[in-house]
Amino acid sequence: GAVVSQHPSRVICKSGTSVKIECRSLDFQATTMFWYRQFPKQSLMLMATSNEGSKATYEQGVEKDKFLINHASLTLSTLTVTSAHPEDSSFYICSAPGLALKTQYFGPGTRLLVL
Amino acid sequence: GNSVTQMEGPVTLSEEAFLTINCTYTATGYPSLFWYVQYPGEGLQLLLKATKADDKGSNKGFEATYRKETTSFHLEKGSVQVSDSAVYFCALSLIAGGTSYGKLTFGQGTILTVHP
């Protein structure tokens, strides 16, 4: 079946640095991908919709200059957390719709820890 | 706004026990309802779904019925197995165009552990 991968699976960085997270659809094309954030013991919150060939659409309250999204190709979307701070530590998950948009395929997530 | 509330976990059961994970929702409009499962080290996978009131979604022995009158979508399984140990997420989506299946509102997840 369809697979979505994320890289890295976990990352530790110093405060003030930027971190890039990749989301790839491995055997299908995705003109749209979605980025979610999950805090411990809380639900996944949609951050933004990544659109191939155009700007990402951000959910209310999400800083677009903080969380840069680039949908470079039909199989790759990247999320860059700029000038990361400890409060950005979280679990980031991407997803991509399958054919006919009937379901979503999720990546395994990336654990970010900012020291 | 839209929201999903799941029963808090973790839930620990013995093999062959009956499972219920409660899920209730609030939504503007007529949502589709989903249960996703996340096995250790893997991404979320769709377990089952229901798109209108009184629909019953079922898969792998799990089932859930879309109850509009109680705004609920409780997950049940008659006899759990050790391999069912995972995190279960209830979610909703409002149909509003082709990409609506991406805009999911999730519950907080329930950790299920099944012992032999």
Side-chain angles (χ1 to χ4, degrees):
Chain A
V3 175
V4 173
S5 70
Q6 284 185 239
H7 177 79
S9 59
R10 60 178 62 206
V11 57
I12 301 173
C13 69
K14 293 182 179 180
S15 185
T17 60
S18 294
V19 175
K20 181 185 286 187
I21 302 170
E22 293 184 347
C23 176
R24 293 182 184 273
S25 57
L26 295 185
D27 52 2
F28 67 103
Q29 295 181 336
T31 56
T32 300
M33 291 183 177
F34 301 90
W35 286 96
Y36 292 83
R37 182 176 181 177
Q38 184 182 25
F39 292 101
K41 299 184 179 180
Q42 296 188 28
S43 60
L44 281 73
M45 302 296 295
L46 179 66
M47 298 174 65
T49 303
S50 173
N51 303 300
E52 192 270 337
S54 63
K55 292 182 180 180
T57 305
Y58 290 83
E59 296 299 303
Q60 192 173 12
V62 177
E63 300 176 61
K64 58 183 177 182
D65 295 331
K66 173 77 171 174
F67 299 99
L68 299 179
I69 291 174
N70 181 32
H71 202 130
S73 72
L74 288 171
T75 59
L76 173 63
S77 174
T78 59
L79 169 68
T80 301
V81 183
T82 62
S83 187
H85 289 94
E87 58 266 29
D88 298 323
S89 298
S90 192
F91 194 56
Y92 294 88
I93 301 171
C94 70
S95 73
L99 289 176
L101 307 176
K102 291 296 185 183
T103 190
Q104 288 291 308
Y105 298 102
F106 285 82
T110 297
R111 176 83 55 195
L112 170 63
L113 176 61
V114 184
L115 301 177
Chain B
N2 305 319
S3 67
V4 176
T5 302
Q6 287 181 236
M7 64 182 288
E8 290 194 20
V11 175
T12 303
L13 295 173
S14 297
E15 206 164 25
E16 299 184 2
F18 184 85
L19 168 70
T20 299
I21 301 178
N22 290 338
C23 171
T24 57
Y25 68 90
T26 58
T28 55
Y30 301 95
S32 291
L33 302 174
F34 306 83
W35 276 100
Y36 281 85
V37 58
Q38 184 175 31
Y39 298 103
E42 299 182 17
L44 277 74
Q45 303 171 27
L46 179 64
L47 180 60
L48 53 85
K49 67 179 181 182
T51 58
K52 62 182 187 296
D54 299 325
D55 269 3
K56 177 185 284 187
S58 61
N59 185 28
K60 300 181 180 180
F62 291 89
E63 59 182 36
T65 302
Y66 189 142
R67 301 288 189 196
K68 187 178 178 182
E69 64 277 11
T70 54
T71 62
S72 65
F73 193 55
H74 304 323
L75 182 69
E76 297 182 336
K77 186 174 186 181
S79 177
V80 294
Q81 305 300 312
V82 173
S83 58
D84 294 327
S85 299
V87 183
Y88 293 82
F89 293 89
C90 186
L92 69 82
S93 174
L94 288 170
I95 304 299
T99 59
S100 63
Y101 280 95
K103 289 207 170 192
L104 293 162
T105 300
F106 284 91
Q108 74 270 35
T110 301
I111 300 172
L112 170 66
T113 302
V114 180
H115 292 297

Short mmCIF file of all heavy atoms in Angstrom, two decimals, chain A residues 49-51 53-57:
data_model
loop_
_atom_site.label_atom_id
_atom_site.label_comp_id
_atom_site.label_asym_id
_atom_site.label_seq_id
_atom_site.Cartn_x
_atom_site.Cartn_y
_atom_site.Cartn_z
N THR A 49 -1.50 23.21 5.40
CA THR A 49 -1.67 22.41 4.20
C THR A 49 -0.58 22.81 3.22
O THR A 49 -0.45 23.99 2.88
CB THR A 49 -3.05 22.65 3.58
OG1 THR A 49 -4.05 22.34 4.56
CG2 THR A 49 -3.25 21.78 2.36
N SER A 50 0.19 21.83 2.79
CA SER A 50 1.29 22.07 1.86
C SER A 50 0.81 21.80 0.45
O SER A 50 0.27 20.74 0.16
CB SER A 50 2.44 21.12 2.23
OG SER A 50 3.48 21.19 1.29
N ASN A 51 1.00 22.77 -0.45
CA ASN A 51 0.50 22.65 -1.81
C ASN A 51 1.65 22.70 -2.80
O ASN A 51 2.44 23.66 -2.80
CB ASN A 51 -0.46 23.80 -2.11
CG ASN A 51 -1.62 23.85 -1.13
OD1 ASN A 51 -2.38 22.91 -1.00
ND2 ASN A 51 -1.74 24.96 -0.41
N GLY A 53 3.63 23.60 -5.79
CA GLY A 53 3.60 24.68 -6.76
C GLY A 53 2.97 25.98 -6.28
O GLY A 53 2.86 26.93 -7.05
N SER A 54 2.55 26.00 -5.03
CA SER A 54 1.98 27.24 -4.50
C SER A 54 2.25 27.34 -3.00
O SER A 54 2.81 26.43 -2.40
CB SER A 54 0.47 27.30 -4.78
OG SER A 54 -0.19 26.26 -4.10
N LYS A 55 1.85 28.45 -2.43
CA LYS A 55 2.13 28.68 -1.02
C LYS A 55 1.31 27.76 -0.12
O LYS A 55 0.19 27.37 -0.46
CB LYS A 55 1.84 30.13 -0.66
CG LYS A 55 2.78 31.13 -1.28
CD LYS A 55 2.42 32.55 -0.82
CE LYS A 55 3.37 33.57 -1.44
NZ LYS A 55 3.04 34.96 -1.01
N ALA A 56 1.88 27.46 1.02
CA ALA A 56 1.16 26.65 2.00
C ALA A 56 0.04 27.47 2.63
O ALA A 56 0.10 28.70 2.68
CB ALA A 56 2.13 26.16 3.06
N THR A 57 -0.95 26.77 3.08
CA THR A 57 -2.08 27.39 3.79
C THR A 57 -1.96 27.04 5.27
O THR A 57 -1.95 25.86 5.63
CB THR A 57 -3.42 26.86 3.25
OG1 THR A 57 -3.47 27.07 1.84
CG2 THR A 57 -4.58 27.58 3.92
#
